[in-house]
Amino acid sequence: MVKKMLFFSDFGIDDNIAVLYAFFNKEIDLVGVVADYGNVSKQDALRNAAYLQELTDRRDVPVFAGAELPLTGDPPEYVPDVHGVEGLGPIIPDIEVDYTLENFHGIQEIIERYPNEIIIVNVGRLSSLAAAFILYPETMKRVKDFYIMGGAFNEPGNVSPVAEANFFGDPYAANIVLTQAKPPVKIIPLNVTSGAIVTPALIDELDAYYQSIGSRVGKLVKPMFDYYYKFYKERNPELTGAPLHDVLTLWALLNEDKVVYRNIPVKVIVNRGEAFGQSVGDFRNTISKAGFPVHHVAVNFSYTDFIKDFFITMKNSKSHNGAH
């Protein structure tokens, strides 16, 4: 059955590849995209979303302007070294966008239109999703399911020794979502997504295919990926590829039986200090556990199934108006 997905994203490289994966996947009906600050500014995220709309010829998918700032009130820090100045690696999109677009309420309208059908996938900071719970608490009860890329459990973080970027960027928002969302939220944490390694050889094979069919949108994948891989390789020379965190989160939505979850009480540390933004999960094998909200935390997935599906799906580009 096709799943109706509302995608919250901060439009860095792995986000952009995840959006293309959703466009090309016949099992996903992308009903809307919320563009947030995070890897890049909200304005750049909106522009990247509009750019992908144009290249994929999918102007039927509405783009909503999300949050510009975290609930912490701190100015956001962008990461051009990872995702490029524009969030597309070396690519500078030549496109004009109407930045006056403030249509956040459209999220409410879409959920009301498809009650108990919408699955929200959030792969960036959680500020916009938290705002939706603050503004539309009754509407948000009609969301069928939540998948969140965020946190790191029993493993190091990527922005501090203990914290992952999405939760660290706005821990207040992460806690609002984890306390307000209809449980269980499915959390796909950094320690799992880091295993979703895609190799340059696989990307080269896809690129050869995109070049052969003249897919405008497909031709974006290799330059974006190469930029992203270079960053990861410099940070950790042992890596054989780059992790597509956000693609794995979408894949988990479609492959429930190929992801191992545990029911775990979870909270996020909001106190300033060394643990700021840390995701705490009570993984103890005891009957009595911490009184935090209990969610499904991913602990493992089938890598071979993931890679096979990613490759097959990304070759679907021809049938989705990707070739011009």
Side-chain angles (χ1 to χ4, degrees):
M1 201 171 109
V2 175
K3 295 176 187 288
K4 292 190 184 303
M5 180 182 75
L6 180 57
F7 193 57
F8 285 67
S9 170
D10 52 352
F11 282 91
I13 288 171
D14 56 331
D15 308 68
N16 287 306
I17 295 174
V19 170
L20 295 181
Y21 173 88
F23 274 135
F24 297 159
N25 198 305
K26 295 178 175 67
E27 294 176 55
I28 293 175
D29 176 12
L30 190 58
V31 296
V33 172
V34 182
D36 296 320
Y37 80 91
N39 293 318
V40 294
S41 69
K42 176 177 94 167
Q43 282 73 20
D44 284 351
L46 274 170
R47 196 264 336 275
N48 289 354
Y51 184 55
L52 290 182
Q53 258 185 335
E54 184 183 280
L55 287 182
T56 53
D57 210 15
R58 286 292 304 277
R59 291 176 183 81
D60 56 310
V61 178
V63 176
F64 304 109
E68 199 159 331
L69 295 166
L71 302 183
T72 57
D74 299 330
E77 288 182 29
Y78 310 127
V79 279
D81 52 335
V82 188
H83 296 278
V85 176
E86 308 288 348
L88 294 160
I91 298 162
I92 308 295
D94 181 22
I95 183 170
E96 288 296 315
V97 182
D98 178 9
Y99 291 127
T100 60
L101 193 70
E102 287 299 339
N103 55 349
F104 192 71
H105 62 274
I107 296 168
Q108 184 185 27
E109 290 165 13
I110 276 195
I111 295 167
E112 297 286 359
R113 192 182 314 154
Y114 305 109
N116 305 311
E117 284 188 65
I118 300 285
I119 298 169
I120 286 180
V121 178
N122 190 309
V123 297
R125 314 297 183 258
L126 287 108
S127 315
S128 296
L129 188 50
F133 278 104
I134 292 166
L135 292 168
Y136 320 120
E138 288 307 308
T139 298
M140 294 305 284
K141 288 175 186 168
R142 295 182 182 155
V143 175
K144 183 181 178 185
D145 234 332
F146 295 89
Y147 285 76
I148 288 169
M149 190 277 125
F153 295 90
N154 307 325
E155 297 256 359
N158 58 354
V159 286
S160 86
V162 297
E164 176 277 330
N166 288 340
F167 282 12
F168 181 86
D170 196 345
Y172 298 135
N175 267 339
I176 286 172
V177 172
L178 294 177
T179 53
Q180 298 301 312
K182 192 165 57 184
V185 169
K186 293 179 184 71
I187 302 171
I188 321 292
L190 179 73
N191 46 290
V192 174
T193 62
S194 294
I197 297 287
V198 173
T199 63
L202 186 146
I203 295 293
D204 287 347
E205 199 176 327
L206 282 176
D207 188 58
Y209 171 71
Y210 294 142
Q211 300 290 347
S212 74
I213 64 166
S215 170
R216 287 172 67 206
V217 67
K219 288 175 187 175
L220 293 179
V221 174
K222 180 173 163 57
M224 286 197 300
F225 178 87
D226 287 352
Y227 186 100
Y228 188 66
Y229 175 52
K230 182 169 172 277
F231 165 81
Y232 272 98
K233 190 77 172 167
E234 283 169 1
R235 202 170 67 163
N236 178 1
E238 291 173 19
L239 279 180
T240 55
L244 295 183
H245 308 279
D246 301 340
V247 177
L248 182 70
T249 309
L250 279 190
W251 178 82
L253 161 69
L254 302 172
N255 295 273
E256 201 66 26
D257 56 333
K258 292 168 187 154
V259 182
V260 181
Y261 292 99
R262 286 187 58 188
N263 285 341
I264 299 294
V266 178
K267 79 171 291 185
V268 185
I269 304 296
V270 297
N271 300 344
R272 300 281 177 177
E274 301 304 326
F276 185 71
Q278 180 178 11
S279 46
V280 177
D282 191 347
F283 281 81
R284 294 176 295 178
N285 289 318
T286 52
I287 290 170
S288 62
K289 290 187 183 286
F292 316 145
V294 176
H295 296 294
H296 286 346
V297 179
V299 292
N300 210 338
F301 70 101
S302 169
Y303 177 73
T304 47
D305 285 316
F306 166 71
I307 281 296
K308 197 166 105 184
D309 175 77
F310 175 71
F311 188 69
I312 291 167
T313 300
M314 294 303 280
K315 282 188 99 167
N316 275 343
S317 61
K318 201 170 190 176
S319 60
H320 278 67
N321 305 327
H324 292 277

